[in-house]
Amino acid sequence: MDLATDHDGFLWIATQQGLIRYDGYTFRRYTHDSDNPASLAEDYIQTLKVTSDGRIWIGTSSKGVSIYDPKTDSFTSLAKLSDRQSLTSRILSIAENTQGEIFLGSTHGLFKYIAQQEAFEPIGLLSPTDELAKGLQILSLSFDDRENLWVGSNKGLFVLPAGKLQMLAASAFKVKASDVETFDLLSRDIKALKFMADGRLWLGTRKSGAGVIDLNTRQLTKLRLPYLQGKPKAINAIEQVSDDELWLGMYNEGVYRINLHDYGDIELVSNNNAQIGSISGNKINSIEVDASGVIWVGTRGNGLNKYLPNEAFVTKYIDVDNTKHLFIRDAFQTTDGTLWLGTDKGLRRYNLDSGDLSAFIAHPDSVTDLSQSTVVGLGQIDDQHLWLSTKQGLYTVSLENNMVEKVNTASVMANTLIAEGKDKLWLSSAQYLYRLELNTMEMSRFYYQNQQGVEEDISTILPLLKDNRGRVWLGSFRGLFVLEPGAEHLIKVTDVANQYTFDGTIALALKDDTLWFSNASGLFSLALNSLKDGKASVKKAPLKVTRANDRQFSNLQIDSQGRLWEASLMYDPISEQTFEFGRADGVDVGADWVGSFGKLSDGRMAFGGSQGLLITTPEAFTPWQYLPPIRLTDFQIDRLSRTVDSAGIVEISPEVKSISMDFAALDYSAPELVNYRYQLVGFDQDWVTTNPKKRSVTYTNLSPGNYSLIVQATNRTGFWTAETTLITFQVLPAFYQTWWFRTLMLLMLILTLYLLVRWRVKKLSEQERIQNEIVLASERAALMEELVEKKNQLLADVSHELRTPLTVLQLKVEALQNNLVKDVGASYDSLMSKIGEINCLISDIYQLAQSDIGALHLEPRSHNCLQTFSCWADEIADAVAVKGFTWQQSITLTPSCCATFDHDKIKQVINNLVDNSMAYTDLPGSISFTVKEVRKGLEVVIEDSAPGVSKVQFASIFERLYRVETSRSRATGGSGLGLSICKSIVEAHKGTITASGSPLGGLAITIYLPMQAN
């Protein structure tokens, strides 16, 4: 019955079965519910009006008016008159002025809504005694820009200016009374009224057609509608669909499209079952234009029609046959401006100026009339003839007399024809490339020869073109080929980088020095100047397409800006943008045929297919930029739909388990191409992408807090809208989720943990104390055992060390007592030597003891290192030489090098180490003495020759009373305390002493002394 678009962008449809809201995906029906006073008053709806406050006034058939409030998703019914009677008449029209006053037109007259009384007051257009007042029905209402209410009735046209009633007679518009036709227009049923911003009022009648009144001049012009001579011209709807065009909805004939500038270019759009996209029925009830420009047409008994606003670059779509579609195989414009179409049912001629399409009628004397021929290729060599290729061979058509003649060549069905000058014609067939010499009618065949010189089948040749260097390019299922000027064989072209293959090349186009071609892998560009020996530099275009199509550019044309076009696709190499076209753009040629295209002389492009021909104007192209609003279409709590105020914060009780939200972007032009992404702020960390089929989101068991659902959507061309917050809600906490309850629980937990920790700490402390006592007792026992063991070992070692000299003393003394010694003096000397050894041993033990208790006395002084160590070296050298060893020394010190150390103690260390070397080194052996500066200190190295010491003994030789040999014989070893004493002296100087293998074959002792010892 009626259509309307509300402030949110939803489309509303009035029917006899209720009110329907459409969001591009889902139809939501509202009906009368006797148990719900907030439901629709009646299902039979006559008219709709969206008022300035966003509400929808709904005129019913017998129950007055229902008012829909989108904020509450509920209805308020009004049927009371000011005299307390009920409004039971059919509401046929509703109008609102700028003050928000509402007027109703019904079968019982005109009414005004009195908001204070919530009732309707009748307005008498005529005196009750007036003959016209009887049976007066108000069919249409419209306010003009001066707040005059125009009233269309079954008794003619009225105007209500500032509360004053006036009937418009013919003389009021300066129209002669003798003009019966014009008077008839005003005296009949005025079914539709539409005031335009230019000051004109359009009116449609039930039987007399349409007219327009210039309200400034009061001139009435009746619109003369062609096609309907002798038929009733009933008009139910008037709608301005663009700045330039007006649509009239006819009761039984479809839609008239009228040019608003001169009321010319009138076109009748009516149902045609043979034409895809035709209007579904001719009984038009209403016309509505939404915010994006989509035109909606409601019919009686044939549903709702959607007409998409064609972009300006789509200038014409042709249904080439009234009874069935012809498959257009090729399109070619001859020099006389005629566009020729090769189809599967012969040849067609299309006049680009008049839009007339006609079948080609051959001259009676022609060899064939071509009516049953499949014309696959078209071309022109001279201005007098059209060349065409069919399955039966090659033909020419005289453009003067339509004479068809067959070219006397082999029956070659050429997919593409290209003229070279006036005497050559290139043809591409299923397997070969041909050149026809028109002067001699000789046909030359060219084929591909592989590297072994064998001819290979290159399968079906599809596109063919000639570049500005005289080379002929062709594409086939086997790849891309080129014929150089003067060559006899084709060359297969490959990518110099071996990155791409060109099998299935189905389209070619040339722009300057760049060849563009396409196959199932995509779109490619080839630099002509890079071709060498069949290899060329090739780049792949970064196409971004959403449609599933293995032939994205099956027909390829280039406009003056270098953009590449196909019927439903355009690629701009400069911006690298891809634009896809579909029915929303007025583009639909059905199944395409490779090679079915043609470039027109004015820059336009023609593309053919199974459903007709599309002619585009590339220079007029502008991308679809409408950004649709995003709306919340449903809000469910635990699977039950709820009405919410999206402007405020919705509170959700803690018992709720699930929350579901549906949304839609209201781009009705192609909702299936809209993409979405959403984020529930407070829960989702990032955007969630979804498609048009999944526009419902559900969240379960949300934690207490505030949440906002924000959604973004694209329009049909992929441009994203701004973020839209659809709803904000707060999940309330249960008592156990409140802050005070959680705080109390936290305090109790802390107290419990504190008591538990205290108990545990106390218990662990007691266990640790007992364990420590056990460990301490065990350690003490082990230490005591170790000390006793060391003491016993020390006593044993000292006893052993003392027993040998004491035994010798005892024997010497007994020998002297018994006068057994011949040389008494020598015996006394020997006794003194042994006593000295005992004294040295006791002295060493004492010195180590002093070191252990930290009582080792040092007298550090600064010494000139070069003088001191050189002096010591000279002294030692003599003693070493006497023992029969070779002495080597290397003292690399600067004259100014000074260090602080105890002179006697360090000398004692060096003497001990040299004595050890002399004691343990086999004769003849070598002893080396090296001194140098390193790391702010001195490095002293004393080395000797074999025998050496194993690596496992390096760390042990500094232990007390340790000897390398196991015999402990005093003949080869000392007391075993010398190296221990050396270590204690060096460490007392904050230095280090280590043992290692010597390159001489023996042992190397390395001492490091800091320059400044503390």
Side-chain angles (χ1 to χ4, degrees), residues 745-775:
M745 291 297 100
L746 180 61
L747 292 175
M748 294 181 63
L749 178 61
I750 292 174
L751 178 61
T752 302
L753 290 176
Y754 172 74
L755 296 176
L756 181 62
V757 168
R758 283 196 60 183
W759 173 80
R760 182 61 177 169
V761 168
K762 183 177 181 181
K763 186 174 182 179
L764 290 177
S765 298
E766 182 66 20
Q767 292 178 351
E768 185 179 5
R769 182 185 63 79
I770 297 173
Q771 186 66 27
N772 288 340
E773 290 179 354
I774 295 174
V775 172

Side-chain angles (χ1 to χ4, degrees), residues 704-778:
N706 294 327
Y707 300 90
S708 295
L709 180 67
I710 58 176
V711 180
Q712 276 188 293
T714 67
N715 61 6
R716 70 170 192 248
T717 57
F719 291 97
W720 287 96
T721 64
E723 296 179 6
T724 300
T725 301
L726 295 185
I727 190 170
T728 298
F729 58 91
Q730 180 185 25
V731 178
L732 300 175
F735 76 92
Y736 54 84
Q737 295 174 316
T738 57
W739 68 267
W740 57 266
F741 183 83
R742 291 185 174 182
T743 302
L744 179 61
M745 291 297 100
L746 180 61
L747 292 175
M748 294 181 63
L749 178 61
I750 292 174
L751 178 61
T752 302
L753 290 176
Y754 172 74
L755 296 176
L756 181 62
V757 168
R758 283 196 60 183
W759 173 80
R760 182 61 177 169
V761 168
K762 183 177 181 181
K763 186 174 182 179
L764 290 177
S765 298
E766 182 66 20
Q767 292 178 351
E768 185 179 5
R769 182 185 63 79
I770 297 173
Q771 186 66 27
N772 288 340
E773 290 179 354
I774 295 174
V775 172
L776 182 60
S778 177

Side-chain angles (χ1 to χ4, degrees), residues 495 499-502 514-527 537-545 552-553 556 558 562-565 569-579:
D495 178 18
Q499 187 175 2
Y500 307 111
T501 60
F502 308 143
T514 301
L515 175 73
W516 291 88
F517 62 95
S518 68
N519 60 13
S521 300
L523 180 66
F524 301 88
S525 63
L526 182 150
S537 176
V538 178
K539 295 182 180 179
K540 185 176 183 180
L543 295 180
K544 298 178 181 178
V545 294
Q552 293 167 349
F553 275 97
L556 192 59
I558 302 180
R563 299 176 298 185
L564 287 88
W565 291 79
L569 199 64
M570 188 269 279
Y571 172 70
D572 187 346
I574 298 177
S575 63
E576 295 187 347
Q577 285 184 292
T578 306
F579 297 91

Side-chain angles (χ1 to χ4, degrees), residues 752-873:
T752 302
L753 290 176
Y754 172 74
L755 296 176
L756 181 62
V757 168
R758 283 196 60 183
W759 173 80
R760 182 61 177 169
V761 168
K762 183 177 181 181
K763 186 174 182 179
L764 290 177
S765 298
E766 182 66 20
Q767 292 178 351
E768 185 179 5
R769 182 185 63 79
I770 297 173
Q771 186 66 27
N772 288 340
E773 290 179 354
I774 295 174
V775 172
L776 182 60
S778 177
E779 289 178 350
R780 286 177 178 176
L783 180 61
M784 290 298 297
E785 184 178 354
E786 183 180 357
L787 290 176
V788 170
E789 182 179 354
K790 287 186 176 181
K791 182 193 72 172
N792 294 336
Q793 183 64 38
L794 179 63
L795 292 176
D797 290 340
V798 172
S799 299
H800 177 77
E801 296 297 330
L802 292 176
R803 184 178 295 112
T804 300
L806 289 176
T807 301
V808 173
L809 284 177
Q810 182 180 5
L811 293 176
K812 291 292 185 180
V813 172
E814 289 178 353
L816 287 173
Q817 289 177 342
N818 296 320
N819 296 320
L820 298 176
V821 178
K822 295 181 180 180
D823 190 351
V824 175
S827 295
Y828 283 115
D829 291 339
S830 176
L831 289 175
M832 290 300 297
S833 174
K834 295 301 179 183
I835 292 172
E837 291 178 3
I838 295 172
N839 188 48
C840 287
L841 177 60
I842 294 173
S843 177
D844 289 345
I845 293 173
Y846 175 76
Q847 187 172 356
L848 286 174
Q850 291 294 103
S851 175
D852 289 343
I853 64 175
L856 183 62
H857 179 66
L858 298 179
E859 294 182 358
R861 291 187 180 84
S862 179
H863 300 278
N864 185 285
C865 298
L866 179 59
Q867 294 178 359
T868 302
F869 284 96
S870 297
C871 179
W872 289 349

